[in-house]
């Protein structure tokens, strides 16, 4: 079995590096009261999968008879600018400046999980699908993270 995860975020999210760390980097910048550093114009879209949904989907697949490659992702595409807005809205703190690095490679304009196969494996409705295809909206997942961090600090 081969599982392809799409932009997993949650506790202990990486806050450094160049691949898959945008959530952790932005959260660290927000908590440090630093400007958001955005590579490109921020209009690039991604889907983000909360770690709990990722784990649930993985466990359901391991406990099934399915053995081919499959994507585990979200049905919700969000721009980098939208992710920053969500982090700011959920944190309830002042908005920070955004520094756009337009001279750096921007990556692809959009990247998201094609969830047709996983929906077919688990059926299009019900809790099995929810665990493998995140319906947990990004603001809800970010809220869980921000609340946990502000409680710790």
């Amino acid at each position: 079995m081969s599982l392809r995860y799409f932009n997993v975020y949650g506790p202990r999210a990486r806050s450094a590096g160049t691949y898959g760390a945008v959530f952790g980097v932005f959260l660290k910048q927000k908590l440090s009261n630093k400007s958001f550093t955005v590579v490109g114009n921020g209009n690039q879209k991604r889907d983000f999968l909360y770690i709990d949904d990722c784990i649930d989907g993985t466990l359901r697949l391991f406990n099934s008879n399915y053995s081919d490659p499959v994507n585990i992702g979200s049905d919700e595409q969000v721009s980098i600018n939208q992710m920053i807005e969500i982090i700011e809205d959920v944190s309830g703190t002042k908005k920070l400046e955004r520094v756009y690095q337009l001279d750096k490679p921007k990556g692809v304009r959009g990247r998201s999980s094609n969830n047709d196969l996983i929906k077919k494996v688990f059926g299009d409705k019900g809790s099995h699908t929810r665990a493998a295809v995140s319906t947990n909206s990004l603001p809800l997942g970010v809220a869980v993270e921000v609340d946990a961090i502000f409680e710790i600090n």
Side-chain angles (χ1 to χ4, degrees):
M1 177 181 309
S2 174
L3 307 177
R4 291 181 296 258
Y5 303 110
F6 286 77
N7 296 302
V8 178
Y9 71 98
R12 298 185 183 167
R14 291 180 346 155
S15 60
T18 57
Y19 183 76
V22 68
F23 174 78
V25 169
F26 286 158
L27 202 52
K28 181 179 179 182
Q29 289 172 339
K30 181 66 179 173
L31 293 172
S32 302
N33 211 25
K34 294 184 178 177
S35 301
F36 289 110
T37 304
V38 180
V39 176
N41 62 13
N43 293 328
Q44 309 91 313
K45 290 191 173 186
R46 305 287 183 265
D47 65 354
F48 295 92
L49 180 66
Y50 191 64
I51 186 65
D52 290 355
D53 291 329
C54 179
I55 291 168
D56 287 347
T58 301
L59 291 174
R60 289 183 187 275
L61 281 165
F62 283 158
N63 291 320
S64 75
N65 293 326
Y66 189 79
S67 60
D68 290 330
V70 66
N71 296 337
I72 297 183
S74 168
D75 279 331
E76 181 180 14
Q77 263 202 349
V78 177
S79 75
I80 300 302
N81 285 324
Q82 287 172 305
M83 157 132 336
I84 291 172
E85 289 168 14
I86 291 166
I87 289 172
E88 290 186 319
D89 289 346
V90 168
S91 69
T93 58
K94 72 174 187 163
K95 302 220 181 269
L96 299 177
E97 177 187 7
R98 297 179 194 181
V99 177
Y100 293 95
Q101 298 179 335
L102 300 174
D103 58 331
K104 294 201 174 178
K106 298 166 197 62
V108 296
R109 181 169 283 191
R111 179 180 303 127
S112 63
S113 176
N114 180 329
N115 298 314
D116 294 343
L117 182 57
I118 194 74
K119 287 178 181 179
K120 185 176 177 183
V121 169
F122 287 131
D124 202 20
K125 296 184 179 177
S127 61
H128 293 294
T129 302
R130 187 209 163 269
V133 180
S134 177
T135 56
N136 196 3
S137 71
L138 186 62
L140 178 60
V142 171
V144 169
E145 284 311 293
V146 169
D147 284 349
I149 289 168
F150 280 113
E151 280 180 24
I152 291 169
N153 293 330

